[in-house]
Amino acid sequence: MAPGLPATGREGLAPVAFVFADTTEAKVANTVAVLEEAGRDYWAPRRYDTYHRGITARDYGQAVPVVVTTLEQLTEHGAGAAVWQRLGRTGEQTLTDALDNPDGDALYRDQAARADAAEEQHRAAAREAQRPVCKRCGQKFTDQRWEETTARGRAWTAGGASVCGTCRADDVAREEAASLPAAAPPEMEDDQEPGRGRGWFRRRP
């Protein structure tokens, strides 16, 4: 990508214009063909040096925009009319359109952003396809549970690595309940005989 845009707001070097006078259309066409072939290394954009795939934008950062017209067209229509032809393009455009690069830096940024988004979606889908599934309830692991079972130094504390966090919590709860001592029966007071009540109306012997 070009490091920055010049004062014109367009990437690329300063433009060059050729205005032909007292000639024929055939001679102009032949001259344009010669200029295009001989000066291709100067006016033609380059491919972007990028790792992205599918980029069709072109790098105009070191390209010299070359436009041509005839004095007759300028006299008849004016410099602001569609009388300019840029090397490498067909047809005539206004000077503004001829110097613009619709397939340049702006298109590259758009295509690169789309490519980045597509790659991120692909990575996310690939990661999701590898997400573990609980062997007990069939639910997918949360990110936290997945990290607990795979992070270095933490896998040994994760308990059953094949179960999700909810099932693991159930296991822990059962283990804690099983480790508690059994509840002892209430103790009898010393003056209370087994089988004897302590009511007011006890039968006298």
Side-chain angles (χ1 to χ4, degrees):
M1 185 182 300
L5 297 179
T8 60
R10 304 182 184 91
E11 68 271 32
L13 304 178
V16 174
F18 288 90
V19 179
F20 299 101
D22 298 327
T23 185
T24 64
E25 291 185 4
K27 290 182 179 180
V28 172
N30 290 336
T31 304
V32 169
V34 172
L35 289 173
E36 285 185 337
E37 184 63 28
R40 186 174 299 275
D41 291 341
Y42 301 96
W43 63 259
R46 295 170 174 80
R47 295 178 61 89
Y48 274 98
D49 184 13
T50 177
Y51 64 90
H52 292 301
R53 296 181 178 180
I55 298 296
T56 61
R58 291 294 179 263
D59 184 0
Y60 287 86
Q62 298 301 316
V64 178
V66 180
V67 294
V68 299
T69 188
T70 64
L71 183 59
E72 289 77 14
Q73 287 181 308
L74 290 177
T75 301
E76 181 178 356
H77 304 289
V83 296
W84 299 93
Q85 180 182 348
R86 181 167 172 173
L87 296 192
R89 299 180 185 175
T90 60
E92 295 174 332
Q93 300 175 286
T94 64
L95 186 59
T96 299
D97 291 340
L99 295 178
D100 194 15
N101 303 312
D103 59 341
D105 192 64
L107 178 61
Y108 173 79
R109 291 195 301 269
D110 180 69
Q111 291 181 333
R114 292 175 182 270
D116 286 339
E119 291 175 4
E120 179 61 28
Q121 291 179 353
H122 177 76
R123 287 192 295 267
R127 171 178 168 78
E128 194 62 27
Q130 297 177 352
R131 184 180 296 273
V133 175
C134 180
K135 301 297 184 181
R136 185 177 304 166
C137 70
Q139 295 294 322
K140 289 186 176 182
F141 281 24
T142 63
D143 289 342
Q144 179 181 353
R145 180 57 178 167
W146 194 358
E147 181 181 356
E148 288 174 350
T149 59
T150 56
R152 183 184 297 274
R154 295 184 61 184
W156 69 274
T157 64
S162 64
V163 297
C164 66
T166 301
C167 290
R168 174 55 184 163
D170 292 342
D171 291 342
V172 171
R174 284 193 294 268
E175 292 171 1
E176 291 179 349
S179 65
L180 295 176
E187 297 182 358
M188 293 184 298
E189 297 183 6
D190 294 338
D191 61 346
Q192 182 178 358
E193 298 179 11
R196 300 290 297 274
R198 298 182 61 189
W200 289 101
F201 300 100
R202 287 184 298 172
R203 178 180 300 178
R204 296 180 179 273

